[in-house]
Amino acid sequence: MIWINLGIVVLTIIGLAIYGVGLYKKKISKDVVTVKQLMERFSIRQQTLQTGIDHTTSRIDQIKGNIDHVVAEGKRVEQGGRQLFAEGQRLKTEVERTAGIKPF
């Protein structure tokens, strides 16, 4: 007799557990669907942001390369200007000597 009562109690507990799991899954399934939708939206936004970041990074690298090129050209022009100035001074001295303004 005790075994029958114990069996009924165990089966009742198992039945309640299965019923609880069923209810929990129904509630959870809606939450899981919502979480999946939110994760999909988040991944789309993340991809959009990453595309923007990649584009901005490439533009920054391109601008940095342009700046480096301009700096190099500026140094080359500065060096050319110094050479031109030195040649101008030499030519001025030569002209003055040739014209007789300045003695050799």
Side-chain angles (χ1 to χ4, degrees), residues 16-32:
L16 285 174
I18 291 172
Y19 181 70
V21 167
L23 287 176
Y24 187 69
K25 281 188 177 181
K26 282 184 182 178
K27 183 180 182 319
I28 282 279
S29 67
K30 292 178 185 175
D31 293 341
V32 168

Side-chain angles (χ1 to χ4, degrees), residues 11 13 16 28-29 34-35 45 54 61 72 76 80 83 94 101 104:
L11 287 176
I13 291 173
L16 285 174
I28 282 279
S29 67
T34 304
V35 167
R45 287 180 183 154
D54 292 343
D61 291 342
R76 186 184 66 78
Q83 288 176 351
E94 189 66 35
I101 299 172
F104 286 96

Side-chain angles (χ1 to χ4, degrees), residues 2-100:
I2 191 150
W3 295 109
I4 294 173
N5 288 337
L6 189 58
I8 291 172
V9 169
V10 169
L11 287 176
T12 304
I13 291 173
I14 292 173
L16 285 174
I18 291 172
Y19 181 70
V21 167
L23 287 176
Y24 187 69
K25 281 188 177 181
K26 282 184 182 178
K27 183 180 182 319
I28 282 279
S29 67
K30 292 178 185 175
D31 293 341
V32 168
V33 168
T34 304
V35 167
K36 284 182 181 178
Q37 288 175 347
L38 290 174
M39 289 197 49
E40 183 179 342
R41 289 179 189 163
F42 176 74
S43 69
I44 291 170
R45 287 180 183 154
Q46 181 186 13
Q47 290 171 356
T48 303
L49 288 174
Q50 189 62 44
T51 303
I53 289 170
D54 292 343
H55 177 71
T56 303
T57 303
S58 68
R59 289 290 294 149
I60 288 171
D61 291 342
Q62 182 182 13
I63 290 169
K64 185 180 179 295
N66 290 344
I67 289 171
D68 291 343
H69 179 71
V70 168
V71 167
E73 285 296 314
K75 288 180 181 178
R76 186 184 66 78
V77 168
E78 181 182 7
Q79 184 180 8
R82 286 181 185 160
Q83 288 176 351
L84 187 60
F85 180 75
E87 286 297 316
Q89 291 292 343
R90 188 187 64 74
L91 184 60
K92 177 183 168 192
T93 305
E94 189 66 35
V95 167
E96 287 175 348
R97 285 183 184 163
T98 303

